[in-house]
């Protein structure tokens, strides 16, 4: 049994491998981009708009609202990164409904890549918001003794992000796989539905945690 | 091995590309559309508010004008009613005056007609009476009317009172007695009359005979400012008087007289 879609390799040339994770991710990227293009190609600024445009507007404004609620004052600045995190994870998890599909988020490599992105984005946004000095001194708060703990916290939460998403998604796929061998009828459907819910929840948790980290980094000095 | 570091790098890169793609094709157009719409709605709302205010203003204006118009209307109606009343009175008066005038004219014409009719009747009656009398006299006495008239005239001369005779007696030099008659008197009548005149007034009196058709029928003596006459015209005058009084007795109104005429 495969634990990760990384293990299904389509093409390998030395260090470079083209596995299922990457291919699925590309497919998702393509779907998301083309879907967006199709809808935004005929955008209207009238009172009467298409249903797809309405749906996308609800999605985008919903994400913006979430970001604002967490405490980031200019959601447009973070919308690209945080919105894409949510949309990609949600799309990857929801596609689990397609038979034979294995979500790229069930690969620790993907979740690690996303967690690393957050890990890098947090200081970038923090420094952009409050300057390098202020950002670095935030590691010394409340006292210099806390510096190692702050660094450990930074690393561990990144690891936690990666493993939480991976664990949830991988376990969902695993449970369905196992259940299929035991009770092939009905029960896997229930679990699959539960998996969709878990996937959405995980997408939400991942992006909301990333938002919280960024908010903490950008507003540390102000508090 | 759960982590493939190449895959990690590739996925991180994929994610960054996806971030760029979605920014380019999703967030920016959507946010722009939302902004435009919000701006547009705000603009339209502002327009609507302006229009509403304008409409309110216009409504007030309209109401004010309407009130003024109502007042004007009432005033004009009152004025027109008053004018119509006065005009009606004037026309009524005029009609009354005209009707009075017309009635007066009608009465005039009726009277004229009445007069004409009376005159015609008188003339006709005179002629008829004259003809009848003459015919009767001729038939009965086998004498002409003129003879009879002369006889009557002579008998009248004889019948004059003394005071009248005295008045006829010549005071001055004038001795001409003017005898007027309708027809030329025959010589016997002339001689008869002349003798009677001379007997009554004086032997020196010269008689002059003149034909006067306006006497109708009769003889008239004019002498020295004194006039003695006998003619049918006198009878006719009294007859006319009596006929006229008969005609005037039932005073005719306009319509009845018109039908009668």
């Amino acid at each position: 049994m495969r634990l990760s879609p990384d293990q299904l390799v389509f093409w390998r040339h030395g260090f470079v491998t083209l596995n299922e994770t990457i291919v699925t991710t590309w497919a998702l990227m393509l779907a998301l981009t083309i879907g967006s293009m199709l809808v935004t190609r005929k955008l209207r600024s009238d009172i009467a708009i298409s249903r797809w445009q309405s749906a996308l507007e609800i999605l985008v404004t919903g994400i913006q609202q979430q970001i604002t609620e967490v405490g980031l004052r200019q959601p447009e600045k973070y919308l690209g990164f945080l919105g894409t995190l949510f949309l990609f994870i949600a799309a990857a998890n929801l596609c689990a409904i397609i038979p034979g599909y294995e979500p790229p988020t069930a690969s620790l490599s993907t979740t690690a890549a996303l967690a690393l992105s957050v890990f890098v984005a947090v200081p970038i946004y923090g420094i952009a918001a409050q300057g390098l000095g202020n950002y670095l001194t935030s590691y010394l708060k409340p006292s210099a003794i806390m510096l190692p703990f702050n660094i450990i916290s930074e690393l561990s939460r990144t690891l936690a992000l990666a493993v939480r998403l991976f664990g949830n998604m991988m376990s969902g796929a695993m449970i369905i796989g196992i259940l299929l061998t035991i009770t092939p009828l009905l029960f896997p459907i229930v679990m699959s539905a539960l998996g969709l819910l878990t996937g959405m929840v995980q997408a939400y948790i991942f992006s909301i945690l990333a938002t919280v980290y960024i908010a903490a980094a950008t507003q540390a000095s102000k508090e | 091995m759960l982590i493939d570091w190449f895959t990690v790098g590739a996925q991180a890169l994929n994610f960054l590309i996806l971030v760029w793609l979605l920014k380019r094709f999703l967030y920016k157009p959507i946010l722009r559309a939302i902004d435009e719409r919000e701006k547009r709605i705000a603009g339209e709302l502002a327009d609507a508010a302006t229009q509403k205010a304008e409409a309110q203003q216009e409504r007030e204006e309209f109401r004010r004008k309407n009130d003024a118009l109502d007042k004007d209307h009432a005033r004009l109606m009152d004025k027109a009613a008053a004018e119509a009343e006065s005009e009606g009175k004037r026309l009524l008066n005029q009609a009354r005056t005209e009707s009075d005038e017309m009635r007066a004219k009608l009465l005039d014409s009726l009277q004229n007609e009445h007069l004409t009719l009376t005159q015609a009747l008188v003339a006709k009656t005179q002629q008829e009476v004259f003809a009848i009398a003459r015919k009767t006299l001729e038939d009965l006495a086998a004498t002409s009317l003129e003879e009879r008239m002369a006889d009557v005239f002579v008998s009248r001369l004889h019948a004059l009172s003394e005071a009248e005779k005295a008045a006829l007696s010549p005071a001055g030099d004038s001795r001409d007695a003017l005898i007027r008659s309708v027809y030329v008197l025959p010589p016997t009548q002339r001689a008869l009359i002349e003798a009677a005149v001379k007997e009554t007034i004086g032997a020196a009196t010269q008689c002059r005979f003149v034909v006067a058709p306006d006497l109708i029928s009769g003889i008239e003596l004019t002498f020295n400012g004194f006039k003695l006459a006998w003619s049918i015209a006198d009878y006719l005058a009294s007859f006319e008087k009596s006929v006229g009084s008969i005609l005037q007795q039932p005073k005719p109104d306009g319509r009845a007289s018109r039908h009668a005429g």
Side-chain angles (χ1 to χ4, degrees):
Chain A
M1 177 179 245
R2 280 188 286 117
L3 275 180
S4 163
D6 289 2
Q7 289 164 349
L8 182 62
V9 175
F10 298 116
W11 180 80
R12 184 192 292 275
H13 188 264
F15 181 64
V16 179
T17 49
L18 198 63
N19 52 34
E20 193 188 357
T21 309
I22 294 171
V23 172
T24 320
T25 304
W26 282 351
L28 282 170
M29 285 165 68
L30 202 67
L32 283 173
T33 309
I34 288 172
S36 303
M37 280 168 78
L38 284 177
V39 175
T40 57
R41 194 183 48 180
K42 296 182 284 186
L43 279 185
R44 296 169 64 180
S45 54
D46 297 351
I47 305 291
I49 55 173
S50 69
R51 285 172 187 162
W52 284 108
Q53 183 181 344
S54 186
L56 280 194
E57 282 183 6
I58 290 168
L59 193 69
V60 173
T61 48
I63 295 168
Q64 260 190 331
Q65 200 180 343
Q66 285 295 322
I67 295 170
T68 314
E69 275 176 14
V70 169
L72 288 170
R73 289 212 175 80
Q74 289 171 293
E76 305 83 29
K77 265 164 73 177
Y78 312 100
L79 180 67
F81 180 73
L82 296 171
T84 309
L85 261 185
F86 174 75
L87 284 181
F88 173 65
I89 297 169
N93 296 352
L94 285 183
C95 283
I97 200 78
I98 300 167
Y101 169 89
E102 202 155 351
T105 42
S107 148
L108 191 58
S109 306
T110 307
T111 57
L114 296 178
L116 280 174
S117 299
V118 176
F119 180 74
V120 175
V122 167
I124 288 174
Y125 281 124
I127 290 165
Q130 51 182 333
L132 182 63
N134 279 336
Y135 177 71
L136 289 179
T137 50
S138 69
Y139 281 96
L140 299 174
K141 286 172 182 174
S143 72
I145 305 166
M146 293 302 283
L147 176 66
F149 298 105
N150 278 333
I151 292 170
I152 290 167
S153 146
E154 199 79 9
L155 291 170
S156 65
R157 76 187 187 190
T158 305
L159 184 68
L161 269 181
V163 174
R164 185 187 301 112
L165 182 58
F166 162 69
N168 273 291
M169 296 321 295
M170 188 271 289
S171 65
M174 289 286 280
I175 285 168
I176 291 167
I178 292 164
L179 280 176
L180 274 174
T181 58
I182 302 167
T183 53
L185 280 173
L186 297 174
F187 202 61
I189 295 173
V190 178
M191 287 311 292
S192 191
L194 196 64
L196 290 177
L197 179 69
T198 318
M200 281 307 292
V201 170
Q202 286 309 313
Y204 179 71
I205 288 173
F206 197 101
S207 44
I208 219 72
L209 280 175
T211 313
V212 169
Y213 298 154
I214 290 170
T218 53
Q219 291 173 348
S221 63
K222 287 165 195 164
E223 288 161 6
Chain B
M1 187 61 188
L2 287 177
I3 292 186
D4 175 23
W5 289 108
F6 171 76
T7 311
V8 170
Q11 287 296 73
L13 188 67
N14 282 342
F15 176 70
L16 290 178
I17 291 169
L18 186 64
V19 167
W20 181 81
L21 282 174
L22 288 188
K23 250 189 187 173
R24 167 82 178 71
F25 292 111
L26 181 64
Y27 307 124
K28 274 185 185 170
I30 289 281
L31 288 178
R32 198 169 52 229
I34 290 174
D35 283 351
E36 276 174 12
R37 190 165 62 247
E38 278 174 356
K39 217 178 281 174
R40 188 173 173 151
I41 289 171
E44 278 172 4
L45 282 176
D47 279 357
T50 316
Q51 280 177 1
K52 195 179 171 185
E54 279 173 3
Q56 185 78 21
Q57 210 171 342
E58 275 173 13
R59 204 177 68 175
E60 289 300 323
E61 178 78 12
F62 179 73
R63 190 177 288 164
R64 200 172 54 71
K65 278 186 181 169
N66 216 7
D67 286 351
L69 212 64
D70 281 351
K71 278 179 190 161
D72 272 5
H73 182 245
R75 193 172 52 74
L76 285 174
M77 280 299 284
D78 287 350
K79 196 180 164 191
E83 278 176 1
E85 202 179 327
S86 68
E87 180 69 11
K89 277 181 184 166
R90 193 184 65 75
L91 286 174
L92 206 63
N93 284 333
Q94 192 180 340
R96 205 168 279 159
T97 315
E98 278 173 4
S99 123
D100 287 350
E101 281 172 5
M102 280 178 75
R103 181 174 292 175
K105 271 184 194 171
L106 195 66
L107 278 175
D108 276 357
S109 73
L110 266 176
Q111 281 171 359
N112 286 338
E113 205 176 316
H114 181 232
L115 200 63
T116 319
L117 197 68
T118 312
Q119 282 169 356
L121 194 66
V122 167
K124 186 73 181 166
T125 312
Q126 279 175 350
Q127 286 167 9
E128 290 296 319
V129 166
F130 181 71
I132 291 166
R134 186 159 137 163
K135 184 75 180 139
T136 313
L137 286 173
E138 275 175 5
D139 288 351
L140 290 178
T143 62
S144 71
L145 183 61
E146 282 77 19
E147 285 171 10
R148 194 69 202 122
M149 277 196 285
D151 290 346
V152 172
F153 187 71
V154 169
S155 66
R156 277 224 177 168
L157 270 177
H158 289 307
L160 282 176
S161 64
E162 287 304 315
E164 285 167 334
K165 280 180 182 174
L168 273 173
S169 48
D173 297 332
S174 177
R175 293 281 180 189
D176 282 349
L178 182 66
I179 312 288
R180 294 168 74 214
S181 64
V182 179
Y183 305 103
V184 179
L185 292 169
T188 51
Q189 265 83 31
R190 283 193 183 194
L192 198 64
I193 291 171
E194 200 169 348
V197 167
K198 282 181 176 176
E199 188 186 334
T200 310
I201 303 166
T205 309
Q206 295 293 313
C207 288
R208 194 157 54 90
F209 293 90
V210 176
V211 174
D214 58 321
L215 287 176
I216 303 173
S217 176
I219 299 165
E220 185 188 270
L221 165 69
T222 309
F223 175 74
N224 199 21
F226 182 86
K227 188 166 119 181
L228 176 72
W230 176 89
S231 81
I232 292 178
D234 291 343
Y235 292 126
L236 286 177
S238 62
F239 177 65
E240 183 189 337
K241 209 174 275 176
S242 68
V243 168
S245 67
I246 290 166
L247 284 174
Q248 276 174 355
Q249 265 173 8
K251 189 73 182 177
D253 67 341
R255 184 174 291 194
S257 74
R258 194 184 297 172
H259 285 305

